[in-house]
Amino acid sequence: MLEALTEWTAYALNFAHYGGTPPARNGVAHPAIAPYGQYLAGDGKPVIFGLQNDREWRSFCAEVLQDPALADDERYATNVQRVRNREALDARIARCFAPLSHEEVLARLDRGGIANSALNTMHEVWDHPQFAARGRWREVATPGGPIQALLPPATLSGAAAAMGAVPALGQHTAAILAELGLGDGESAG
């Protein structure tokens, strides 16, 4: 897991190591790409998107902001300029999104070919229809009664995920101590 999470933070890791200082904490925004991150629609619901190249910037201006001329504005014409003028650009995006619902913003982003998603609450993630459609929920017994639990994300061919009951406090103590060659009441410490 350490390697996977470190790979996920590779940009910030390299930025800090080779640049001397870590990038500022900025939530889901990207320190070297603009626009990129979380933006609010007029209904108060967040959407997340990011532009990766100049083609997407032009499409974003035309389809999402509905202002194709903005693509050539010297303050935003290159990613370096957009990052430098991020505050003004974010304000421009906020003005555009203010009268729109998050569904309308997402539809515009889709039309523009911009990678995007609604930014779900924990409850919205729990209720996401994809988990039910893919059969990802399992009932698991606990000392307090059954609960729903998600299968682990890795699906192995020919091997079912172990989704056993949650043990009660102390339920396996004697067996573990015996496996370690210790008797009841003894400890390895």
Side-chain angles (χ1 to χ4, degrees):
M1 184 177 292
L2 175 63
E3 289 87 356
L5 290 175
T6 302
E7 174 64 25
W8 192 36
T9 64
Y11 176 84
L13 188 67
N14 286 309
F15 190 96
H17 182 75
Y18 295 107
T21 58
R25 293 182 182 264
N26 52 12
V28 295
H30 195 289
I33 302 172
Y36 190 110
Q38 175 182 325
Y39 296 84
L40 287 179
D43 58 10
K45 294 187 178 179
V47 297
I48 188 167
F49 64 89
L51 306 185
Q52 299 293 316
N53 54 52
D54 290 337
R55 180 201 57 79
E56 288 184 353
W57 168 244
R58 291 196 167 286
S59 180
F60 181 77
C61 290
E63 297 293 333
V64 180
L65 300 179
Q66 297 183 341
D67 184 2
L70 189 63
D72 296 319
D73 185 312
E74 67 183 30
R75 296 171 297 166
Y76 312 123
T78 68
N79 182 63
V80 170
Q81 288 302 104
R82 291 190 295 276
V83 169
R84 188 172 291 136
N85 294 291
R86 183 188 309 266
E87 190 173 316
L89 178 56
D90 285 349
R92 172 70 178 82
I93 293 167
R95 285 192 306 276
C96 177
F97 288 5
L100 304 174
S101 70
H102 75 284
E103 291 97 348
E104 291 170 313
V105 171
L106 293 172
R108 285 187 182 190
L109 289 162
D110 285 344
R111 276 195 309 276
I114 308 299
N116 71 82
S117 178
L119 192 57
N120 294 323
T121 65
M122 289 294 108
H123 295 294
E124 290 167 331
V125 171
W126 185 275
D127 293 331
H128 199 287
Q130 197 64 14
F131 291 129
R134 293 183 29 81
R136 301 303 296 172
W137 289 107
R138 294 296 182 271
E139 187 170 285
V140 174
T142 77
I147 63 167
Q148 293 295 308
L150 281 172
L151 287 169
T155 303
L156 304 176
S157 178
M163 297 291 287
V166 176
L169 183 62
Q171 180 178 340
H172 300 297
T173 301
I176 292 170
L177 289 173
E179 198 173 307
L180 295 171
L182 304 170
D184 287 339
E186 292 184 76
S187 73

